Amino acid sequence: ILTTLKPFGSVSVESKMNNKAGSFLWNLRQFSTLVPTSRTMRLYPLGLCKPKIVHSNWNILNNFHNRMRSTDIFRYLFQDAFILKSDVGFQTKGISTVTALRIDRPLYAKRLFFDSKHSLVSVDKSNDGLKKVNFHHEVSSEDVLTKETKPNRISSRKLSEECNSLSDVLDTFTKAPTFPSSNYFTAMWTIAKRLSDDQKRFERRLMFSHPAFNQLCEHMMREAKIMQYKYLLFSLYAIVKLGIPQNTLLVQTLLRVTQERINECDERCLSVLSSVLEAMEPCKNVHVLQMGFRILVDQQVWKIEDVFTLQVVMKCIGKDAPIALKRKLEMKALRELDRFSVLNSQRMFEVLAAMNHRSLTLLNECSKVVLDNIHGCPSKIIINILQSCKDLQYHNLDLFNGLAEYVAATFDIWKLKKVSSFILILFENLGFRPVGLMDLFMKRIVEDPESLNMKNILSILHTYSSLNHVYKCQNKEQFLEVMASALTGYLHSVSSGNLLDAVYSFCLMNYFPLAPLNQLLQKDIISELLTSDDMKKNVHKLHILDTCLKLDDTVYLKDIALSLPQLPRELPPSHPNTKVAEVLSSLLGGEGHFSKDVHLPHNYHIDFEIRVDTNRNQVLPFSDVDTASATDIQRVAVLCVSRSAYCLGSSHPRGFLAMKMRHLNAMGFHVILVNNWEMDKLEMEDAITFLKTKIYSVEALPVAAVNLQST
């Protein structure tokens, strides 16, 4: 009901006041037919405590002209009236614009009170313009009662400091619920972060069984549409992190309200909303919120001022975000590059990996900052940088060398587990061979073999065999013996799959420990490997093991025969090496002097085969091979290899290529490696000169042929 005040005439001040009071009483009599004779103010469903004040009748309003002491009734009557600030006046001529605040029913958390600065407007048409009449409000006993019965608002920080458990927070809520309810959830999450995992699980069970928990959830759902947007996001984040199931009505309701009010999101809320989306599992409402979040970011990206907020938003935007939005965020980050702190530069790797966007400019600039401030860099940051480089396929040799040198320089303060299971594994995934660090690590293993567990053994063997590091190391034999001895100590508990992985790594390094091999070659172990879920991978490794036993220098194991399923033939390269074929044809005088895509025993494949005499004077046509003696022929295998076959930034072959070269030598071949990326850059004449040097030079001939020629 909107109360309309009647205009007063242009009479004396005292008469005006009487007329105003009479007019007001007339309005009150109109209400008497609508308002009950008694009114009780009850507890609102939102948990707002209002005083329970009962007015027996409306006769108290007869003394309304006596300074209006019944403030609650006065407040009731004017819930729909316009309340104006007294310092905003009206002009004597014309009408000035006045800012008014309308009070709508119901009065939720933010209750409005009349005070000495508030006034009601009445219309006086007898004089020029509008006039303002103030109804001053004095503090009554009922105001004191209202103030005493209304609970004081308590912050989430104070709650988390005063309470020691989640149940304590719920107990506080039970005693005197206050608005907003988000403070209770935020306080509970703050407390939960201080607890151990076991304590969290125990406290969660107590929280779910607490009688006030359902009531708090109901309050939260009812308040969601009226609380500030940032509190809504804080509460949703806390609820998700507390482990409340995502398919509950509470979480889904908050998600829907968050979607509806997303236009209220400012820069700070963008950061919180990013954390919320990152913490939640995929579902339909989360997907809709993610789409709205992307649209909002696209509109506000140029308004973001804080670099940290920008990085949080970029990290949350998702790998499947539109490429146009990713580039817009990249441009915004490039604009703010001068404001990046060291921490911002370190985090940029993880941010770009999270959005799956490989910005070379950003990565290169941040790499320089990381290297300039490498001293004191935490191990977690280094691991995150290497993991992000792997995800983005970003290979920066200077960055990797700097990180490896720093780890080697501070090696004494690093835990063995972090170096073996994280740093070295990540370097191996990147194809980078940190020589100094790996040598230092080998020395530590030899000195302290007792520190090894099964996981360390597997990761160390994989790293050193994949990067082919022990090939020319001085303490190679000692290191391999220590690793074999450590593996032998776990043979009673090691799984068949882990045992195969360890022995396979030893085979790549041309080392064959007897105890692990004998256990692996047992029929029940082989049968288990051939029937497991990873059968194809296991069969491939067992074939390589069988090849190593037959071709490598393992006299005591050559008689072992494994009955294994046949492997498919190694496929030729998808892109034929046409340029190498043209160069060989031009150099050797036709295709009859070499063979392409040659398949060899033990499932090996070579790109080209050439046959020359032992004096390296000429290349023999394949038609003359049958008439020539086998001792007069030298077989040459030409392998066209990619960059990934070498360690990053070097010509050092990785484990599988090194093993293949070793086995080809055992089969009587001399191996020539042709780098595809280098051959593509050479002109035809330079390419011919390169291959001619490889085939006919003294260095390219086997040692035995060189010795025979010198003799």
Side-chain angles (χ1 to χ4, degrees), residues 138-169:
E138 293 180 355
V139 179
S140 67
S141 60
E142 294 174 0
D143 289 313
V144 175
L145 178 61
T146 301
K147 186 174 181 181
E148 289 177 352
T149 56
K150 183 178 180 180
N152 295 326
R153 180 174 175 178
I154 186 168
S155 65
S156 59
R157 178 179 296 181
K158 187 177 181 181
L159 271 172
S160 61
E161 291 174 353
E162 294 179 351
C163 300
N164 297 319
S165 66
L166 308 187
S167 299
D168 291 346
V169 178

PDB file of all heavy atoms in Angstrom, residues 138-169:
ATOM      1  N   GLU A 138      13.118  10.843  17.209  1.00  0.00           N
ATOM      2  CA  GLU A 138      13.894  10.701  18.426  1.00  0.00           C
ATOM      3  C   GLU A 138      14.000   9.235  18.803  1.00  0.00           C
ATOM      4  O   GLU A 138      13.140   8.423  18.493  1.00  0.00           O
ATOM      5  CB  GLU A 138      13.224  11.467  19.583  1.00  0.00           C
ATOM      6  CG  GLU A 138      13.245  12.975  19.370  1.00  0.00           C
ATOM      7  CD  GLU A 138      12.591  13.680  20.526  1.00  0.00           C
ATOM      8  OE1 GLU A 138      12.043  12.990  21.417  1.00  0.00           O
ATOM      9  OE2 GLU A 138      12.626  14.918  20.559  1.00  0.00           O
ATOM     10  N   VAL A 139      15.048   8.901  19.495  1.00  0.00           N
ATOM     11  CA  VAL A 139      15.268   7.528  19.927  1.00  0.00           C
ATOM     12  C   VAL A 139      14.270   7.172  21.005  1.00  0.00           C
ATOM     13  O   VAL A 139      14.136   7.887  21.999  1.00  0.00           O
ATOM     14  CB  VAL A 139      16.696   7.344  20.445  1.00  0.00           C
ATOM     15  CG1 VAL A 139      16.900   5.915  20.910  1.00  0.00           C
ATOM     16  CG2 VAL A 139      17.685   7.701  19.337  1.00  0.00           C
ATOM     17  N   SER A 140      13.558   6.090  20.793  1.00  0.00           N
ATOM     18  CA  SER A 140      12.579   5.636  21.770  1.00  0.00           C
ATOM     19  C   SER A 140      13.051   4.340  22.406  1.00  0.00           C
ATOM     20  O   SER A 140      14.032   3.738  21.991  1.00  0.00           O
ATOM     21  CB  SER A 140      11.217   5.426  21.095  1.00  0.00           C
ATOM     22  OG  SER A 140      11.305   4.350  20.193  1.00  0.00           O
ATOM     23  N   SER A 141      12.292   3.891  23.381  1.00  0.00           N
ATOM     24  CA  SER A 141      12.633   2.641  24.046  1.00  0.00           C
ATOM     25  C   SER A 141      12.512   1.468  23.093  1.00  0.00           C
ATOM     26  O   SER A 141      13.211   0.474  23.225  1.00  0.00           O
ATOM     27  CB  SER A 141      11.717   2.432  25.257  1.00  0.00           C
ATOM     28  OG  SER A 141      10.360   2.384  24.832  1.00  0.00           O
ATOM     29  N   GLU A 142      11.607   1.578  22.106  1.00  0.00           N
ATOM     30  CA  GLU A 142      11.445   0.498  21.154  1.00  0.00           C
ATOM     31  C   GLU A 142      12.658   0.385  20.242  1.00  0.00           C
ATOM     32  O   GLU A 142      13.025  -0.700  19.803  1.00  0.00           O
ATOM     33  CB  GLU A 142      10.174   0.701  20.346  1.00  0.00           C
ATOM     34  CG  GLU A 142       8.922   0.593  21.206  1.00  0.00           C
ATOM     35  CD  GLU A 142       7.671   0.935  20.429  1.00  0.00           C
ATOM     36  OE1 GLU A 142       7.828   1.250  19.238  1.00  0.00           O
ATOM     37  OE2 GLU A 142       6.582   0.875  20.990  1.00  0.00           O
ATOM     38  N   ASP A 143      13.297   1.534  19.887  1.00  0.00           N
ATOM     39  CA  ASP A 143      14.529   1.497  19.101  1.00  0.00           C
ATOM     40  C   ASP A 143      15.634   0.787  19.864  1.00  0.00           C
ATOM     41  O   ASP A 143      16.424   0.045  19.302  1.00  0.00           O
ATOM     42  CB  ASP A 143      14.980   2.909  18.744  1.00  0.00           C
ATOM     43  CG  ASP A 143      14.069   3.535  17.713  1.00  0.00           C
ATOM     44  OD1 ASP A 143      13.765   2.850  16.711  1.00  0.00           O
ATOM     45  OD2 ASP A 143      13.667   4.684  17.916  1.00  0.00           O
ATOM     46  N   VAL A 144      15.703   1.045  21.147  1.00  0.00           N
ATOM     47  CA  VAL A 144      16.707   0.367  21.963  1.00  0.00           C
ATOM     48  C   VAL A 144      16.459  -1.129  21.961  1.00  0.00           C
ATOM     49  O   VAL A 144      17.380  -1.937  21.859  1.00  0.00           O
ATOM     50  CB  VAL A 144      16.688   0.927  23.404  1.00  0.00           C
ATOM     51  CG1 VAL A 144      17.643   0.144  24.290  1.00  0.00           C
ATOM     52  CG2 VAL A 144      17.033   2.403  23.394  1.00  0.00           C
ATOM     53  N   LEU A 145      15.191  -1.495  22.041  1.00  0.00           N
ATOM     54  CA  LEU A 145      14.848  -2.905  22.020  1.00  0.00           C
ATOM     55  C   LEU A 145      15.243  -3.554  20.702  1.00  0.00           C
ATOM     56  O   LEU A 145      15.798  -4.650  20.666  1.00  0.00           O
ATOM     57  CB  LEU A 145      13.347  -3.069  22.260  1.00  0.00           C
ATOM     58  CG  LEU A 145      12.796  -4.510  22.224  1.00  0.00           C
ATOM     59  CD1 LEU A 145      13.467  -5.336  23.314  1.00  0.00           C
ATOM     60  CD2 LEU A 145      11.285  -4.501  22.383  1.00  0.00           C
ATOM     61  N   THR A 146      14.980  -2.819  19.609  1.00  0.00           N
ATOM     62  CA  THR A 146      15.361  -3.339  18.288  1.00  0.00           C
ATOM     63  C   THR A 146      16.859  -3.536  18.192  1.00  0.00           C
ATOM     64  O   THR A 146      17.352  -4.547  17.696  1.00  0.00           O
ATOM     65  CB  THR A 146      14.890  -2.368  17.181  1.00  0.00           C
ATOM     66  OG1 THR A 146      13.490  -2.233  17.261  1.00  0.00           O
ATOM     67  CG2 THR A 146      15.295  -2.879  15.807  1.00  0.00           C
ATOM     68  N   LYS A 147      17.605  -2.559  18.688  1.00  0.00           N
ATOM     69  CA  LYS A 147      19.065  -2.635  18.619  1.00  0.00           C
ATOM     70  C   LYS A 147      19.614  -3.751  19.475  1.00  0.00           C
ATOM     71  O   LYS A 147      20.582  -4.427  19.125  1.00  0.00           O
ATOM     72  CB  LYS A 147      19.655  -1.292  19.048  1.00  0.00           C
ATOM     73  CG  LYS A 147      21.157  -1.213  18.877  1.00  0.00           C
ATOM     74  CD  LYS A 147      21.663   0.172  19.187  1.00  0.00           C
ATOM     75  CE  LYS A 147      23.167   0.261  18.989  1.00  0.00           C
ATOM     76  NZ  LYS A 147      23.679   1.608  19.314  1.00  0.00           N
ATOM     77  N   GLU A 148      18.974  -3.983  20.627  1.00  0.00           N
ATOM     78  CA  GLU A 148      19.488  -5.001  21.525  1.00  0.00           C
ATOM     79  C   GLU A 148      19.195  -6.410  21.028  1.00  0.00           C
ATOM     80  O   GLU A 148      19.970  -7.334  21.229  1.00  0.00           O
ATOM     81  CB  GLU A 148      18.883  -4.796  22.921  1.00  0.00           C
ATOM     82  CG  GLU A 148      19.425  -3.559  23.623  1.00  0.00           C
ATOM     83  CD  GLU A 148      18.756  -3.363  24.958  1.00  0.00           C
ATOM     84  OE1 GLU A 148      17.783  -4.089  25.250  1.00  0.00           O
ATOM     85  OE2 GLU A 148      19.198  -2.485  25.717  1.00  0.00           O
ATOM     86  N   THR A 149      18.050  -6.582  20.387  1.00  0.00           N
ATOM     87  CA  THR A 149      17.670  -7.932  19.962  1.00  0.00           C
ATOM     88  C   THR A 149      18.266  -8.319  18.624  1.00  0.00           C
ATOM     89  O   THR A 149      18.289  -9.495  18.286  1.00  0.00           O
ATOM     90  CB  THR A 149      16.146  -8.034  19.870  1.00  0.00           C
ATOM     91  OG1 THR A 149      15.666  -7.012  18.985  1.00  0.00           O
ATOM     92  CG2 THR A 149      15.510  -7.921  21.238  1.00  0.00           C
ATOM     93  N   LYS A 150      18.729  -7.379  17.835  1.00  0.00           N
ATOM     94  CA  LYS A 150      19.326  -7.699  16.537  1.00  0.00           C
ATOM     95  C   LYS A 150      20.771  -8.152  16.740  1.00  0.00           C
ATOM     96  O   LYS A 150      21.565  -7.442  17.338  1.00  0.00           O
ATOM     97  CB  LYS A 150      19.285  -6.477  15.628  1.00  0.00           C
ATOM     98  CG  LYS A 150      19.827  -6.774  14.245  1.00  0.00           C
ATOM     99  CD  LYS A 150      19.722  -5.557  13.353  1.00  0.00           C
ATOM    100  CE  LYS A 150      20.272  -5.873  11.975  1.00  0.00           C
ATOM    101  NZ  LYS A 150      20.189  -4.690  11.081  1.00  0.00           N
ATOM    102  N   PRO A 151      21.157  -9.352  16.261  1.00  0.00           N
ATOM    103  CA  PRO A 151      22.518  -9.848  16.488  1.00  0.00           C
ATOM    104  C   PRO A 151      23.541  -9.046  15.703  1.00  0.00           C
ATOM    105  O   PRO A 151      23.261  -8.549  14.611  1.00  0.00           O
ATOM    106  CB  PRO A 151      22.447 -11.291  15.980  1.00  0.00           C
ATOM    107  CG  PRO A 151      21.332 -11.291  14.990  1.00  0.00           C
ATOM    108  CD  PRO A 151      20.349 -10.304  15.486  1.00  0.00           C
ATOM    109  N   ASN A 152      24.711  -8.910  16.271  1.00  0.00           N
ATOM    110  CA  ASN A 152      25.795  -8.207  15.593  1.00  0.00           C
ATOM    111  C   ASN A 152      26.332  -9.055  14.448  1.00  0.00           C
ATOM    112  O   ASN A 152      26.507 -10.264  14.582  1.00  0.00           O
ATOM    113  CB  ASN A 152      26.926  -7.897  16.584  1.00  0.00           C
ATOM    114  CG  ASN A 152      26.475  -6.921  17.648  1.00  0.00           C
ATOM    115  OD1 ASN A 152      25.673  -6.027  17.386  1.00  0.00           O
ATOM    116  ND2 ASN A 152      26.980  -7.111  18.864  1.00  0.00           N
ATOM    117  N   ARG A 153      26.605  -8.410  13.348  1.00  0.00           N
ATOM    118  CA  ARG A 153      27.156  -9.108  12.187  1.00  0.00           C
ATOM    119  C   ARG A 153      28.590  -9.528  12.497  1.00  0.00           C
ATOM    120  O   ARG A 153      29.376  -8.739  12.999  1.00  0.00           O
ATOM    121  CB  ARG A 153      27.119  -8.197  10.973  1.00  0.00           C
ATOM    122  CG  ARG A 153      27.666  -8.832   9.715  1.00  0.00           C
ATOM    123  CD  ARG A 153      27.446  -7.916   8.539  1.00  0.00           C
ATOM    124  NE  ARG A 153      28.069  -8.438   7.337  1.00  0.00           N
ATOM    125  CZ  ARG A 153      27.995  -7.861   6.155  1.00  0.00           C
ATOM    126  NH1 ARG A 153      27.303  -6.734   6.026  1.00  0.00           N
ATOM    127  NH2 ARG A 153      28.581  -8.389   5.110  1.00  0.00           N
ATOM    128  N   ILE A 154      28.911 -10.768  12.158  1.00  0.00           N
ATOM    129  CA  ILE A 154      30.241 -11.301  12.441  1.00  0.00           C
ATOM    130  C   ILE A 154      30.914 -11.690  11.134  1.00  0.00           C
ATOM    131  O   ILE A 154      30.283 -12.274  10.244  1.00  0.00           O
ATOM    132  CB  ILE A 154      30.153 -12.512  13.393  1.00  0.00           C
ATOM    133  CG1 ILE A 154      31.545 -12.986  13.800  1.00  0.00           C
ATOM    134  CG2 ILE A 154      29.343 -13.641  12.786  1.00  0.00           C
ATOM    135  CD1 ILE A 154      31.513 -13.981  14.942  1.00  0.00           C
ATOM    136  N   SER A 155      32.184 -11.343  10.980  1.00  0.00           N
ATOM    137  CA  SER A 155      32.901 -11.607   9.734  1.00  0.00           C
ATOM    138  C   SER A 155      33.422 -13.037   9.707  1.00  0.00           C
ATOM    139  O   SER A 155      33.562 -13.693  10.747  1.00  0.00           O
ATOM    140  CB  SER A 155      34.060 -10.630   9.581  1.00  0.00           C
ATOM    141  OG  SER A 155      35.029 -10.840  10.602  1.00  0.00           O
ATOM    142  N   SER A 156      33.712 -13.502   8.507  1.00  0.00           N
ATOM    143  CA  SER A 156      34.243 -14.858   8.367  1.00  0.00           C
ATOM    144  C   SER A 156      35.623 -14.977   8.999  1.00  0.00           C
ATOM    145  O   SER A 156      35.967 -16.029   9.553  1.00  0.00           O
ATOM    146  CB  SER A 156      34.316 -15.237   6.880  1.00  0.00           C
ATOM    147  OG  SER A 156      35.154 -14.329   6.168  1.00  0.00           O
ATOM    148  N   ARG A 157      36.396 -13.915   8.967  1.00  0.00           N
ATOM    149  CA  ARG A 157      37.724 -13.955   9.579  1.00  0.00           C
ATOM    150  C   ARG A 157      37.627 -14.110  11.093  1.00  0.00           C
ATOM    151  O   ARG A 157      38.347 -14.918  11.693  1.00  0.00           O
ATOM    152  CB  ARG A 157      38.506 -12.687   9.239  1.00  0.00           C
ATOM    153  CG  ARG A 157      39.874 -12.620   9.878  1.00  0.00           C
ATOM    154  CD  ARG A 157      40.615 -11.364   9.506  1.00  0.00           C
ATOM    155  NE  ARG A 157      40.906 -11.314   8.082  1.00  0.00           N
ATOM    156  CZ  ARG A 157      41.566 -10.314   7.492  1.00  0.00           C
ATOM    157  NH1 ARG A 157      41.994  -9.296   8.210  1.00  0.00           N
ATOM    158  NH2 ARG A 157      41.788 -10.337   6.196  1.00  0.00           N
ATOM    159  N   LYS A 158      36.707 -13.355  11.692  1.00  0.00           N
ATOM    160  CA  LYS A 158      36.545 -13.457  13.137  1.00  0.00           C
ATOM    161  C   LYS A 158      36.027 -14.841  13.528  1.00  0.00           C
ATOM    162  O   LYS A 158      36.456 -15.422  14.528  1.00  0.00           O
ATOM    163  CB  LYS A 158      35.590 -12.373  13.616  1.00  0.00           C
ATOM    164  CG  LYS A 158      35.475 -12.291  15.135  1.00  0.00           C
ATOM    165  CD  LYS A 158      34.576 -11.143  15.548  1.00  0.00           C
ATOM    166  CE  LYS A 158      34.481 -11.064  17.075  1.00  0.00           C
ATOM    167  NZ  LYS A 158      33.579  -9.966  17.504  1.00  0.00           N
ATOM    168  N   LEU A 159      35.114 -15.371  12.711  1.00  0.00           N
ATOM    169  CA  LEU A 159      34.599 -16.712  12.978  1.00  0.00           C
ATOM    170  C   LEU A 159      35.709 -17.753  12.930  1.00  0.00           C
ATOM    171  O   LEU A 159      35.806 -18.625  13.792  1.00  0.00           O
ATOM    172  CB  LEU A 159      33.525 -17.070  11.947  1.00  0.00           C
ATOM    173  CG  LEU A 159      32.085 -16.688  12.264  1.00  0.00           C
ATOM    174  CD1 LEU A 159      31.202 -16.946  11.064  1.00  0.00           C
ATOM    175  CD2 LEU A 159      31.579 -17.452  13.464  1.00  0.00           C
ATOM    176  N   SER A 160      36.560 -17.658  11.900  1.00  0.00           N
ATOM    177  CA  SER A 160      37.637 -18.639  11.755  1.00  0.00           C
ATOM    178  C   SER A 160      38.672 -18.519  12.857  1.00  0.00           C
ATOM    179  O   SER A 160      39.349 -19.498  13.194  1.00  0.00           O
ATOM    180  CB  SER A 160      38.314 -18.472  10.388  1.00  0.00           C
ATOM    181  OG  SER A 160      38.884 -17.176  10.262  1.00  0.00           O
ATOM    182  N   GLU A 161      38.810 -17.323  13.433  1.00  0.00           N
ATOM    183  CA  GLU A 161      39.758 -17.140  14.530  1.00  0.00           C
ATOM    184  C   GLU A 161      39.188 -17.636  15.853  1.00  0.00           C
ATOM    185  O   GLU A 161      39.921 -18.177  16.692  1.00  0.00           O
ATOM    186  CB  GLU A 161      40.131 -15.657  14.644  1.00  0.00           C
ATOM    187  CG  GLU A 161      40.969 -15.143  13.479  1.00  0.00           C
ATOM    188  CD  GLU A 161      41.188 -13.639  13.556  1.00  0.00           C
ATOM    189  OE1 GLU A 161      40.564 -13.002  14.443  1.00  0.00           O
ATOM    190  OE2 GLU A 161      41.949 -13.101  12.726  1.00  0.00           O
ATOM    191  N   GLU A 162      37.885 -17.472  16.038  1.00  0.00           N
ATOM    192  CA  GLU A 162      37.278 -17.848  17.311  1.00  0.00           C
ATOM    193  C   GLU A 162      36.925 -19.325  17.374  1.00  0.00           C
ATOM    194  O   GLU A 162      36.835 -19.898  18.460  1.00  0.00           O
ATOM    195  CB  GLU A 162      36.021 -17.005  17.555  1.00  0.00           C
ATOM    196  CG  GLU A 162      36.306 -15.522  17.762  1.00  0.00           C
ATOM    197  CD  GLU A 162      35.031 -14.722  17.969  1.00  0.00           C
ATOM    198  OE1 GLU A 162      33.940 -15.307  17.779  1.00  0.00           O
ATOM    199  OE2 GLU A 162      35.131 -13.534  18.314  1.00  0.00           O
ATOM    200  N   CYS A 163      36.691 -19.954  16.235  1.00  0.00           N
ATOM    201  CA  CYS A 163      36.257 -21.354  16.208  1.00  0.00           C
ATOM    202  C   CYS A 163      37.425 -22.259  15.853  1.00  0.00           C
ATOM    203  O   CYS A 163      38.309 -21.882  15.075  1.00  0.00           O
ATOM    204  CB  CYS A 163      35.126 -21.539  15.202  1.00  0.00           C
ATOM    205  SG  CYS A 163      33.663 -20.537  15.554  1.00  0.00           S
ATOM    206  N   ASN A 164      37.399 -23.451  16.404  1.00  0.00           N
ATOM    207  CA  ASN A 164      38.472 -24.419  16.170  1.00  0.00           C
ATOM    208  C   ASN A 164      38.053 -25.571  15.276  1.00  0.00           C
ATOM    209  O   ASN A 164      38.891 -26.385  14.887  1.00  0.00           O
ATOM    210  CB  ASN A 164      38.977 -24.971  17.507  1.00  0.00           C
ATOM    211  CG  ASN A 164      39.582 -23.904  18.384  1.00  0.00           C
ATOM    212  OD1 ASN A 164      40.301 -23.032  17.891  1.00  0.00           O
ATOM    213  ND2 ASN A 164      39.294 -23.954  19.674  1.00  0.00           N
ATOM    214  N   SER A 165      36.777 -25.685  14.982  1.00  0.00           N
ATOM    215  CA  SER A 165      36.292 -26.787  14.157  1.00  0.00           C
ATOM    216  C   SER A 165      35.092 -26.323  13.357  1.00  0.00           C
ATOM    217  O   SER A 165      34.517 -25.247  13.606  1.00  0.00           O
ATOM    218  CB  SER A 165      35.925 -27.989  15.025  1.00  0.00           C
ATOM    219  OG  SER A 165      34.815 -27.680  15.852  1.00  0.00           O
ATOM    220  N   LEU A 166      34.676 -27.155  12.404  1.00  0.00           N
ATOM    221  CA  LEU A 166      33.510 -26.824  11.591  1.00  0.00           C
ATOM    222  C   LEU A 166      32.250 -26.823  12.448  1.00  0.00           C
ATOM    223  O   LEU A 166      31.343 -26.011  12.227  1.00  0.00           O
ATOM    224  CB  LEU A 166      33.368 -27.826  10.444  1.00  0.00           C
ATOM    225  CG  LEU A 166      34.614 -28.060   9.573  1.00  0.00           C
ATOM    226  CD1 LEU A 166      34.258 -28.944   8.385  1.00  0.00           C
ATOM    227  CD2 LEU A 166      35.205 -26.748   9.083  1.00  0.00           C
ATOM    228  N   SER A 167      32.189 -27.729  13.410  1.00  0.00           N
ATOM    229  CA  SER A 167      31.016 -27.787  14.287  1.00  0.00           C
ATOM    230  C   SER A 167      30.893 -26.535  15.142  1.00  0.00           C
ATOM    231  O   SER A 167      29.776 -26.094  15.446  1.00  0.00           O
ATOM    232  CB  SER A 167      31.096 -29.028  15.177  1.00  0.00           C
ATOM    233  OG  SER A 167      31.103 -30.204  14.409  1.00  0.00           O
ATOM    234  N   ASP A 168      32.023 -25.954  15.533  1.00  0.00           N
ATOM    235  CA  ASP A 168      31.973 -24.708  16.302  1.00  0.00           C
ATOM    236  C   ASP A 168      31.314 -23.590  15.506  1.00  0.00           C
ATOM    237  O   ASP A 168      30.550 -22.784  16.049  1.00  0.00           O
ATOM    238  CB  ASP A 168      33.386 -24.286  16.717  1.00  0.00           C
ATOM    239  CG  ASP A 168      33.988 -25.223  17.754  1.00  0.00           C
ATOM    240  OD1 ASP A 168      33.220 -26.026  18.325  1.00  0.00           O
ATOM    241  OD2 ASP A 168      35.213 -25.168  17.973  1.00  0.00           O
ATOM    242  N   VAL A 169      31.603 -23.525  14.222  1.00  0.00           N
ATOM    243  CA  VAL A 169      30.983 -22.506  13.373  1.00  0.00           C
ATOM    244  C   VAL A 169      29.481 -22.716  13.300  1.00  0.00           C
ATOM    245  O   VAL A 169      28.688 -21.766  13.385  1.00  0.00           O
ATOM    246  CB  VAL A 169      31.606 -22.539  11.958  1.00  0.00           C
ATOM    247  CG1 VAL A 169      30.931 -21.512  11.052  1.00  0.00           C
ATOM    248  CG2 VAL A 169      33.102 -22.266  12.020  1.00  0.00           C
TER     249      VAL A 169
END
